[in-house]
Amino acid sequence: MATIVFCSVNKTARTTARRCLNSYSNGLASSVESPYSQLTTLLPSTRWFSRGSSVRFMSHGTAGRAGAGRTRRGALLSGAAAVTAAAAVAGFLANANHFQRAEMATKVSPISEEKEPEGEILERCRGFMSPPVTDIGELQERKWEMRTRMEMLIMQTQADFCKALEVVDGGTFKVDRWQRNEGGGGISCVMQDGKVFEKAGVNVSVVFGYLTEEAAKQMTSRGKVLKGKDGKLPFCAMGVSSVIHPKNPHMPTVHFNYRYFEIEEEDGSKQWWFGGGTDLTPVYINKEDAFHFHNTLKEACDKHHSQYYPDFKKWCDRYFYIQHRGETRGIGGIFFDDLDSPSQEEAFSFVKSCARTVVPCYLPIVYKHLNDSFTDEEKDWQQVRRGRYVEFNLVYDRGVKFGLATPGSRIESILMSLPLSARWEYMHEPAKGTLEAEMLEALRNPKEWV
């Protein structure tokens, strides 16, 4: 059996990023070792700002905000935040026209365009938050199978996102490995009550066994024709999912999920498909944030098909719709399911492009709002919106339903998406002309942001 040692790279990342920033500011970036030496080449328009030597995190009810509900434009990064930004986003921050808007990694950095090093299973695993769910020896034996390639992708996505969040928050994710008696298991990474994030969860699950009748019904209701042997359907399902709930109401919640499903039918043939998406749930409308988020996703989609973004954006608006409220959960993003064409290789390539956007589509928005102050009233509105988030997840979310219907599922991991706190006010309706009313209007009538 292969032996592997896991270690944190945050210190190394911070040191390298600091060297990069110092060299950049002195016009000597060419002396920094790869890949950070490419910053000035890749990002000629990027300017790094600093003020002081520490990051100021605003607490609940911070006063001094000009105009209730309005965000401060062009928030400056402190020295520490600038260093950690480089470590977290590492070549993604570009285009100072908005707020050093991050372009999609696959467009900005040629490193991202390199072919996936799928043969280096052991080496790649060293950077993960935990050893993979599947034994490393088994992954090496079938490294070219889609199940292995997808598991490696979701493990990498979890590691990249967790490390980026740890840098900006200063906290550490609790890594919780769990096993499913019926087959498989998962890795839940959760950080609670941090400086920036009230609750951040990034989960990986790889489960297999037999589909229950209830789970099979959910799939057949979506048009899947499944023929099991003696009423049994062997399956394998894996994915990475994340929900991030920040403390500051001017910092939006983000959610993403990318998954792969494989079913063996009675004749031995296999059905497979991919699903997933990324969506944003702000408390207040910020058009620059919305454009950056949607444009990053659009660029990822456009690499594969010009119709993917408009189709999957509409699908996202339909899917994250709270029917009993007559409003969407947030301002959307992309969502797709049952993707089994044009080929398995091309579908996987598309999912890989989407998964690689989770850091560049969200982290620049986080850094932009690090120092935004807020009022008690704005915090209360955030709690009301989180109540809507809870309603959607418990009533409509397909992943929650499937998880609860699957024997041996990890309930704590399934409900990880729920915020620590939420609020329900009787007959609550924001006053006309307020920023809260503007937010509600966007949720009741979804907009085109790109």
Side-chain angles (χ1 to χ4, degrees), residues 62-219:
T62 301
R65 185 168 187 77
R70 299 193 178 277
T71 60
R72 182 183 306 143
R73 300 282 178 167
L76 301 182
L77 296 182
S78 69
V83 171
T84 54
V89 193
F92 297 142
L93 294 183
N95 191 343
N97 291 336
H98 295 289
F99 52 96
Q100 286 72 56
R101 183 171 57 84
E103 294 292 350
M104 182 183 68
T106 47
K107 177 179 178 181
V108 172
S109 173
I111 297 173
S112 303
E113 295 288 0
E114 292 177 0
K115 198 164 185 179
E116 179 184 1
E118 299 189 71
E120 304 170 5
I121 298 289
L122 188 61
E123 184 62 31
R124 292 175 64 198
C125 288
R126 289 195 173 96
F128 296 163
M129 299 297 287
S130 167
V133 177
T134 304
D135 181 77
I136 293 175
E138 185 178 343
L139 293 175
Q140 289 176 316
E141 289 177 3
R142 51 179 180 84
K143 62 183 179 182
W144 300 113
E145 291 185 16
M146 185 53 67
R147 288 169 61 168
T148 296
R149 296 168 69 192
M150 186 64 182
E151 183 168 351
M152 294 299 289
L153 174 64
I154 61 180
M155 290 294 300
Q156 187 66 59
T157 302
Q158 181 188 53
D160 290 347
F161 200 53
C162 284
K163 289 171 184 177
L165 297 176
E166 284 181 340
V167 169
V168 67
D169 187 275
T172 303
F173 276 90
K174 175 184 177 181
V175 179
D176 182 19
R177 289 182 64 90
W178 53 273
Q179 290 185 327
R180 177 174 175 268
N181 293 333
E182 292 79 1
I187 302 154
S188 297
C189 295
V190 179
M191 179 166 56
Q192 292 186 167
D193 287 321
K195 294 178 180 177
V196 177
F197 305 111
E198 179 179 288
K199 187 178 182 184
V202 191
N203 292 343
V204 159
S205 63
V206 179
V207 299
F208 53 87
Y210 294 97
L211 276 183
T212 64
E213 183 178 348
E214 180 61 31
K217 281 181 180 179
Q218 290 185 28
M219 293 182 180

Side-chain angles (χ1 to χ4, degrees), residues 65-73 249-250 282-287 373 375 377-378 381 385 428-443 447:
R65 185 168 187 77
R70 299 193 178 277
T71 60
R72 182 183 306 143
R73 300 282 178 167
H250 298 292
V283 176
Y284 291 97
I285 289 292
N286 184 298
K287 293 180 180 178
S373 58
T375 65
E377 291 75 19
E378 290 167 339
W381 174 241
R385 295 314 311 167
H428 183 276
E429 186 75 19
K432 291 183 179 180
T434 62
L435 294 180
E436 290 79 7
E438 179 189 25
M439 181 75 253
L440 201 54
E441 169 63 21
L443 300 176
K447 301 180 183 301

Side-chain angles (χ1 to χ4, degrees), residues 226-234 264-266:
L226 305 174
K227 298 178 181 179
K229 185 176 182 180
D230 299 326
K232 294 183 177 180
L233 276 168
E264 182 177 337
E265 299 191 273
E266 62 177 339

Side-chain angles (χ1 to χ4, degrees), residues 180-392:
R180 177 174 175 268
N181 293 333
E182 292 79 1
I187 302 154
S188 297
C189 295
V190 179
M191 179 166 56
Q192 292 186 167
D193 287 321
K195 294 178 180 177
V196 177
F197 305 111
E198 179 179 288
K199 187 178 182 184
V202 191
N203 292 343
V204 159
S205 63
V206 179
V207 299
F208 53 87
Y210 294 97
L211 276 183
T212 64
E213 183 178 348
E214 180 61 31
K217 281 181 180 179
Q218 290 185 28
M219 293 182 180
T220 53
S221 68
R222 304 199 319 254
K224 292 288 182 186
V225 179
L226 305 174
K227 298 178 181 179
K229 185 176 182 180
D230 299 326
K232 294 183 177 180
L233 276 168
F235 82 99
C236 174
M238 62 184 67
V240 57
S241 62
S242 177
V243 177
I244 310 301
H245 293 293
K247 288 186 171 180
N248 194 313
H250 298 292
M251 199 178 288
T253 288
V254 74
H255 158 261
F256 69 82
N257 175 290
Y258 292 99
R259 56 193 178 273
Y260 174 69
F261 217 100
E262 199 174 86
I263 288 182
E264 182 177 337
E265 299 191 273
E266 62 177 339
D267 61 359
S269 62
K270 291 183 179 179
Q271 283 201 44
W272 58 266
W273 62 90
F274 295 91
T278 305
D279 62 280
L280 198 69
T281 305
V283 176
Y284 291 97
I285 289 292
N286 184 298
K287 293 180 180 178
E288 289 179 348
D289 294 352
F291 172 83
H292 163 72
F293 182 82
H294 278 267
N295 194 55
T296 305
L297 293 174
K298 182 180 183 298
E299 288 178 339
C301 291
D302 287 350
K303 286 178 58 182
H304 300 271
H305 198 292
S306 61
Q307 203 57 37
Y308 275 177
Y309 173 76
D311 286 352
F312 296 160
K313 194 269 183 187
K314 291 177 183 176
W315 196 343
C316 187
D317 290 338
R318 291 195 305 267
Y319 178 77
F320 291 105
Y321 182 70
I322 309 173
Q323 187 172 352
H324 61 273
R325 295 287 188 181
E327 60 193 49
T328 57
R329 189 177 73 175
I331 63 169
I334 60 171
F335 177 86
F336 59 92
D337 208 353
D338 302 324
L339 183 66
D340 55 8
S341 63
S343 67
Q344 190 176 57
E345 191 62 39
E346 291 182 52
F348 176 63
S349 179
F350 169 63
V351 170
K352 190 160 51 175
S353 292
C354 293
R356 286 176 175 172
T357 67
V358 298
V359 170
C361 78
Y362 184 59
L363 264 294
I365 298 174
V366 170
Y367 281 109
K368 176 186 175 183
H369 296 291
L370 268 182
N371 295 326
D372 284 2
S373 58
F374 56 88
T375 65
D376 288 338
E377 291 75 19
E378 290 167 339
K379 189 66 179 178
D380 288 344
W381 174 241
Q382 179 193 52
Q383 297 296 294
V384 170
R385 295 314 311 167
R386 283 185 175 171
R388 300 291 200 270
Y389 204 95
V390 171
E391 290 176 26
F392 175 86

